Amino acid sequence: DGVALARENIMGSLQDFRLIYGELLDEAEKRPRKAVIMPDLQAYRIFRERFITESDDKKYIGSVPGIHVGDIFHLRVELCVVGLHRPHRVSVDHIKQEDGTCIAVSVVSYAQSSDVKNNLDVLVYSGSVAAIGNQKIEGTNLALKKSMDTNTPVRVIHGFITNINGNCQRTYIYGGLYIIEKYWREKERENCYVYMFRLRRMAGQNHIDIKEILNSGQGESSGGIVIKDLSRGLERIPVSVVNSISDEYPMPYRYISRLQYPRNFHPAPPEGCGCVGGCSDSKRCACAVKNGGEIPFNDKGCIIVAKPLVYECGPSCKCPPTCHNRVGQHGIKFRMQVFKTKSMGWGVRTLDFIPSGSFVCEYIGEVLDDEEAQKRTTDEYLFAIGHNYYDAVLWAGLSRSIPSLQKGPDKDEEAGFAVDASKMGNFAKFINHSCTPNLYAQNVLYDHDDKNVPRIMFFACEDIPPHQELAYHYNYTIDQVYDVNGNLKKKKCLCGSTECDGWLY
Ligand code: SAM
């Protein structure tokens, strides 16, 4: 879990930085006469002012927690943001040690993409040129030698320059840890030397196919894929983004894969079950009892019937992670793709067949109380939660079979919450509305007991073939949606279903 958290934090920082950088570029585009000089460095300065204090600055020897071999970056300064390589001009990063000597910890090594040999296990790196007449090894060359002498692993970031439609594009790929095996001096010109270092990739690290990474990045060759993985490794399976309609990218936002609760939200942990060997006895399992005396999923992980609330087993339970009453908490199982629709902006489709009843994804974002939610300037990505227990059709009958729900949350004390995915969220924010949906939103609890703040998990309500758009019913009441000034808002529904009601709200 610590590893996943480190990844989430580091990718969150990167996305924060990219948002700032994107805003600066947008501004520059709007005001062409007011040049933004070195927007990457400006964005980095703003990012540090907003998010980083001196004490956050970490100097890593060896791998950086949360960074995987094969991670891709598009600006040199992004390497500073994640702590892979701190100087944004110099190609060797070093750390001063207690005895005053310096060891090299990372190297950015450049190649033209046309020169790429796929085997980057051995690398010859040319260090800095020694000053004319100087016989001594010093500066970053000395730091590299010191790493060689002490067998210190050095992070290698492969920098590539590709030419896309006449534009020079740089890509940085984290190649992993290398050991410096050897160094030598070559004569550059009379009395002037360059130091060369031979680095060998350490064994036991994931293989990376540089050519594949470079080719998969952009453009036609990858079927219009504009982003290979929107989640940048936060989902179990990459979430690609394609646009075959325009050259637009989704508005940048911070990708997160866990709900962000308010600081003061500390609900009591639920009473877990004690089924050490698994939850096989529905009469004894405390979670099955909370679900009305049954595990709500079949052995394929499909939900048996929609309920006002489903209790999955969770961290307070004694059962193992493989327990079949743990479904949504394990994350996505099917390949998802965000794509540009013809008339509804971005949408989400599945690349795999999804059997009816399967868990598809959770609606992730910031959890806000109603008061906070009202203050948000855009309501486009707000999902109101904890209210639909009162949905007359769903509630009738079902609550009778579930003891813990017989009373339900007290309506007078009902605290309204919403999940807002506008600034941070996962890909579910792009799922559109349909009047004949293939998903439904299921309230689920597993890591706390507050029925006002259930998780929103989407399950397939029919078999969904590959490449079909995913959609749920937004459940707006027509003529009941108002803007911040209290004016009635209306929007035509463009779902295209033969049974379309005509209006989204
Ligand atoms: N399409 C959105 C986007 O590009 O970011 C993603 C869905 S977002 C949660 C909700 C917004 O998508 C709505 O406010 C509306 O603008 C649009 N939308 C979703 N379903 C729609 C539908 N059936 N008809 C018209 N617009 C729709």
Side-chain angles (χ1 to χ4, degrees), residues 370-388:
D370 273 350
E371 203 181 317
E372 268 304 305
Q374 296 292 334
K375 290 189 202 152
R376 294 282 156 125
T377 45
T378 166
D379 58 2
E380 206 169 341
Y381 301 102
L382 272 181
F383 195 116
I385 58 175
H387 299 281
N388 59 351

Side-chain angles (χ1 to χ4, degrees), residues 248 339-341 343-348 363 379-382 421 427-435 469 471-472 474 476 489 491-496 500 503-505:
E248 197 189 327
F339 72 108
K340 189 76 198 232
T341 66
S343 54
M344 296 187 290
W346 297 95
V348 180
Y363 194 91
D379 58 2
E380 206 169 341
Y381 301 102
L382 272 181
F427 66 89
K429 67 184 273 180
F430 295 118
I431 304 179
N432 288 316
H433 158 93
S434 170
C435 298
E469 179 169 2
Y472 60 97
Y474 282 8
Y476 286 115
K489 278 205 299 186
K491 190 166 227 160
K492 281 213 162 104
C493 180
L494 302 170
C495 75
C500 178
W503 295 98
L504 190 58
Y505 49 78

Side-chain angles (χ1 to χ4, degrees), residues 29-307:
E29 211 163 278
K30 276 188 222 139
R31 288 189 285 171
R33 267 193 249 155
K34 208 169 163 231
V36 180
I37 301 153
M38 294 196 277
D40 52 342
L41 296 190
Q42 280 204 40
Y44 187 49
R45 186 181 46 77
I46 299 170
F47 166 78
R48 290 189 61 87
E49 280 166 10
R50 280 196 206 159
F51 300 107
I52 305 285
T53 60
E54 291 279 307
S55 61
D56 289 334
D57 274 330
K58 297 216 175 62
K59 300 174 183 173
Y60 296 101
I61 299 176
S63 19
V64 173
I67 294 293
H68 296 169
V69 166
D71 277 347
I72 304 172
F73 305 89
H74 298 292
L75 298 169
R76 258 295 284 268
V77 77
E78 289 182 352
L79 304 175
C80 315
V81 171
V82 299
L84 258 185
H85 185 86
R86 294 165 309 142
H88 46 79
R89 295 258 177 270
V90 183
S91 294
V92 177
D93 189 6
H94 65 271
I95 290 181
K96 199 169 189 170
Q97 296 191 295
E98 274 173 12
D99 63 1
T101 61
C102 291
I103 47 164
V105 287
S106 59
V107 161
V108 180
S109 157
Y110 284 95
Q112 296 287 334
S113 66
S114 50
D115 299 345
V116 174
K117 295 182 201 68
N118 236 6
N119 185 358
L120 288 170
D121 283 352
V122 177
L123 205 82
V124 175
Y125 175 76
S126 55
S128 48
V129 179
I132 293 179
N134 192 353
Q135 296 289 320
K136 268 178 36 197
I137 180 164
E138 54 185 22
T140 52
N141 290 335
L142 183 60
L144 286 164
K145 179 180 178 302
K146 177 88 183 176
S147 294
M148 180 185 88
D149 294 342
T150 51
N151 244 354
T152 304
V154 173
R155 297 184 291 275
V156 170
I157 299 105
H158 303 290
F160 296 100
I161 302 165
T162 19
N163 192 320
I164 296 179
N165 306 329
N167 291 325
C168 234
Q169 189 166 313
R170 286 169 200 271
T171 308
Y172 300 91
I173 303 173
Y174 177 47
L177 298 178
Y178 284 64
I179 290 290
I180 305 174
E181 286 185 329
K182 165 177 167 165
Y183 85 102
W184 64 94
R185 223 167 56 159
E186 278 182 13
K187 195 166 178 178
E188 171 112 327
R189 60 199 131 95
E190 196 51 45
N191 222 358
C192 181
Y193 298 94
V194 59
Y195 284 89
M196 308 296 281
F197 296 85
R198 193 170 76 197
L199 287 81
R200 185 175 295 275
R201 195 164 188 258
M202 292 171 75
Q205 302 180 88
N206 281 350
H207 170 74
I208 48 171
D209 189 325
I210 297 274
K211 278 200 171 142
E212 209 228 53
I213 294 179
L214 287 175
N215 289 338
S216 66
Q218 312 268 325
E220 297 308 316
S221 58
S222 52
I225 290 190
V226 294
I227 300 176
K228 202 177 172 200
D229 182 11
L230 182 67
S231 85
R232 298 201 60 90
L234 290 181
E235 301 287 358
R236 289 160 71 184
I237 306 171
V239 177
S240 53
V241 180
V242 297
N243 188 349
S244 50
I245 305 241
S246 63
D247 54 8
E248 197 189 327
Y249 278 57
M251 280 285 285
Y253 68 101
R254 180 173 173 171
Y255 198 102
I256 52 172
S257 55
R258 299 157 198 241
L259 281 177
Q260 183 111 356
Y261 289 105
R263 271 181 209 282
N264 56 358
F265 181 73
H266 302 295
E271 190 198 323
C273 66
C275 314
V276 178
C279 301
S280 48
D281 187 342
S282 301
K283 299 274 168 306
R284 289 228 182 118
C285 169
C287 300
V289 170
K290 284 197 265 183
N291 284 314
E294 62 175 4
I295 299 286
F297 306 105
N298 67 17
D299 54 5
K300 293 201 171 63
C302 294
I303 192 154
I304 296 165
V305 59
K307 289 171 181 268

